[in-house]
Amino acid sequence: MTVKAIPDGYACGIPYLTIQDAARAIDFYKQAFGAVELMRMPRPDGKIMHAEIRIGEAPIMMGEEAVEWGALSPTTIGNTPTTIVLYVPDVDAAIARAVEAGATLTMPVANQFWGDRSGGLSDPFGHKWMLSTHIEDVGPEEMQRRMEAMFAEQPGNGCG
């Protein structure tokens, strides 16, 4: 039997979330994002050492915070520098469902200059999410033009 070096369904970068109360987080991700639980491996104390979910085609791994191993959650650190981008068929409905499940809206849903309709969330465990529905293909030159126009319209941009 030949073992695949890259397992089926894992040929991309996969986020690994460190979470306080990973079991509750899995339930939240099921409710908020329609996640499917693929597996969970409990530690002897019952907390989750490792779990995997899939949201659409995106695999996401997670485990319980373990301070003694240096695995700190956003709750302990006080923030996270990382945002998980998730494309969905209907961003307005997906954002509404996530907020109803307990997420905090950090950026209202709006059409973006790069061709997506997007909104931002923070989940109850401190992880940031950007949900998007692609609505328009925008070429590089037009995207640059739109980006420059956006910055020109913002106060305090240093331009004049």
Side-chain angles (χ1 to χ4, degrees), residues 14-157:
I14 301 169
Y16 197 104
L17 307 179
T18 301
I19 302 174
Q20 286 184 9
D21 200 350
R24 191 167 67 89
I26 291 170
D27 291 339
F28 169 80
Y29 297 138
K30 287 177 180 178
Q31 183 180 2
F33 303 132
V36 174
E37 183 175 339
L38 302 176
M39 65 88 70
R40 77 170 67 188
M41 185 184 324
R43 302 185 316 204
D45 65 3
K47 293 183 178 181
I48 295 176
M49 178 176 177
H50 178 79
E52 296 180 19
I53 61 173
R54 186 173 301 276
I55 301 173
E57 297 297 315
I60 298 174
M61 297 179 180
M62 67 188 67
E64 191 74 32
E65 177 177 72
V67 176
E68 65 276 17
W69 296 339
L72 305 177
S73 71
T75 306
T76 297
I77 296 169
N79 201 349
T80 178
T82 304
T83 300
I84 301 165
V85 176
L86 183 64
Y87 278 91
V88 295
D90 182 348
V91 68
D92 294 275
I95 290 280
R97 186 175 68 216
V99 168
E100 184 177 313
T104 301
L105 185 68
T106 58
M107 185 181 99
V109 177
N111 294 348
Q112 306 300 327
F113 71 84
W114 55 86
D116 290 349
R117 182 164 174 77
S118 304
L121 301 166
S122 178
D123 72 28
F125 311 94
H127 293 282
K128 296 176 186 175
W129 298 76
M130 176 67 66
L131 276 57
S132 298
T133 298
H134 190 66
I135 58 171
E136 177 186 15
D137 292 327
V138 181
E141 296 84 14
E142 177 62 12
M143 194 177 303
Q144 181 69 31
R145 187 194 67 73
R146 290 179 184 185
M147 187 264 310
E148 290 170 0
M150 179 192 74
F151 278 102
E153 293 172 2
Q154 294 183 356
N157 65 8

